[in-house]
Amino acid sequence: MSEPQPRAPSWVCVKTLTSHQSWVRSVAISPDKQTLVSGGGDKTVKIWNLQTGTLLHTLTEHTGWVRSVAISPNGQILASASNDKTIKFWHVKTGKLLHTLTGHSDWVRSLAFNPDGSMMASSSHDKTIKLWRPSTAHLLHNLTGHSHWVVTVAFSPDGNILASGSKDRTIRLWHLYGKEPSQVLSGHTDEVLSVAISPLGQLLASGSADGTIKIWELGTGKLLNTLTGHASAVNCVAFNPNGKLLASGSQDKTIKLWHPSTGKLMSNLDGHLGWVWSVAFSPDGHVLASGSWDETIKIWRV
């Protein structure tokens, strides 16, 4: 018998959150599914109640656009990265500023915590990736190798590999605990804007300004598939918690949901009036949040 084809789930927009005064560049959902955080071009970080859509805190200490937000695996720390060249740590529940990390010499573009929260990676227009210890806010390592801006970073589920994407059109796989040199994955014809690694650590997805999504085998770096369907740059990609769905957001104003193993397009989510900058699944996979150039956050439920 042939393997049954995956069934397309039905997703609907249940809330549109409006408070940002500029584009929403990044969204993240807490491990307990209760909190949504967002960062945008208005230089603010906002903390929301995900269930009700109520705005809880607006954090205003950044002096430049907020490019990325991330929540630690224990749900306690919110990290934000900005064009002001700093990273800030905040307490998720109270919004209290805990630390300001300095060290990058240009805009900070992307943040990612490793699975146990003992390390955080930041990438920058200064062409470097920095690894930090969140508990002490100390710099651990500085990774160099990209020849242009490092736009995006993501950890593997075991924390052993860090993937990065750059304006130099390559993806690098950094083996953090071995002596192996970083692998370089080439194939995109324009800037790599987003990378994500599947929950089981088998697949790497990359979204690019060339309008495509590429699916790679993480262990070997082999290109498995190229997904086409977006009419413009793919700004963001994210796997759902079971790895059977990949969301992509694009400058064509749409979100597409794909079956990553087959490359089949499952759903097309329309509603944003501007570029989609960021997508994030809830830990149970039932909610998808998206942030857009249209200054809104949309909450989609399956």
Side-chain angles (χ1 to χ4, degrees):
M1 294 177 63
S2 61
E3 182 181 350
Q5 287 296 305
R7 185 170 55 89
S10 177
W11 291 79
V12 292
C13 180
V14 294
K15 288 187 183 70
T16 298
L17 309 184
T18 58
S19 179
H20 280 288
Q21 301 302 306
S22 183
W23 43 263
V24 181
R25 182 62 183 83
S26 183
V27 293
I29 296 175
S30 63
D32 66 4
K33 303 176 291 185
Q34 299 302 306
T35 305
L36 170 76
V37 298
S38 58
D42 58 8
K43 307 177 186 177
T44 71
V45 177
K46 293 182 183 287
I47 302 176
W48 312 77
N49 181 304
L50 180 60
Q51 307 305 317
T52 65
T54 304
L55 178 62
L56 303 175
H57 303 285
T58 297
L59 314 179
T60 59
E61 279 81 352
H62 278 298
T63 59
W65 297 346
V66 178
R67 292 276 186 174
S68 181
V69 293
I71 300 177
S72 62
N74 67 6
Q76 300 296 309
I77 296 174
L78 160 62
S80 57
S82 170
N83 279 16
D84 65 15
K85 307 177 188 177
T86 72
I87 299 153
K88 293 184 184 291
F89 284 164
W90 318 79
H91 191 273
V92 171
K93 296 300 182 186
T94 65
K96 179 184 176 182
L97 179 62
L98 302 173
H99 297 287
T100 297
L101 312 186
T102 58
H104 282 295
S105 60
D106 208 334
W107 298 355
V108 188
R109 286 292 297 264
S110 179
L111 301 172
F113 285 95
N114 73 343
D116 67 8
S118 63
M119 186 184 292
M120 188 192 72
S122 60
S123 70
S124 170
H125 276 208
D126 65 13
K127 306 177 188 176
T128 74
I129 299 161
K130 295 185 185 297
L131 302 178
W132 310 83
R133 177 170 284 122
S135 60
T136 62
H138 287 160
L139 179 64
L140 297 172
H141 299 288
N142 194 61
L143 305 180
T144 59
H146 281 295
S147 62
H148 214 308
W149 305 340
V150 189
V151 180
T152 177
V153 285
F155 279 97
S156 62
D158 62 8
N160 292 333
I161 295 174
L162 179 72
S164 59
S166 170
K167 190 174 172 62
D168 67 13
R169 304 181 181 184
T170 71
I171 299 153
R172 282 183 180 259
L173 302 179
W174 308 85
H175 299 270
L176 300 179
Y177 300 103
K179 296 183 179 179
E180 301 173 67
S182 62
Q183 291 173 264
V184 180
L185 310 185
S186 301
H188 282 295
T189 58
D190 207 333
E191 180 175 4
V192 181
L193 296 170
S194 182
V195 291
I197 297 176
S198 64
L200 294 179
Q202 298 170 328
L203 302 178
L204 168 73
S206 56
S208 170
D210 65 15
T212 72
I213 301 153
K214 291 186 182 292
I215 307 295
W216 314 78
E217 187 175 64
L218 185 65
T220 64
K222 178 183 177 183
L223 179 62
L224 301 177
N225 207 348
T226 298
L227 311 184
T228 59
H230 280 296
S232 191
V234 180
N235 290 328
C236 51
V237 289
F239 285 95
N240 77 339
N242 67 17
K244 296 182 180 178
L245 204 60
L246 178 74
S248 59
S250 170
Q251 291 182 18
D252 66 11
K253 307 177 186 178
T254 72
I255 299 162
K256 294 185 186 295
L257 300 176
W258 313 80
H259 189 263
S261 296
T262 64
K264 179 182 178 182
L265 179 62
M266 307 295 288
S267 300
N268 197 72
L269 308 185
D270 295 298
H272 279 298
L273 302 178
W275 299 355
V276 181
W277 274 117
S278 181
V279 288
F281 282 101
S282 62
D284 61 7
H286 295 160
V287 174
L288 178 70
S290 57
S292 170
W293 188 272
D294 66 14
E295 305 182 4
T296 73
I297 300 157
K298 289 188 180 292
I299 308 299
W300 312 81
R301 289 188 183 272
V302 64

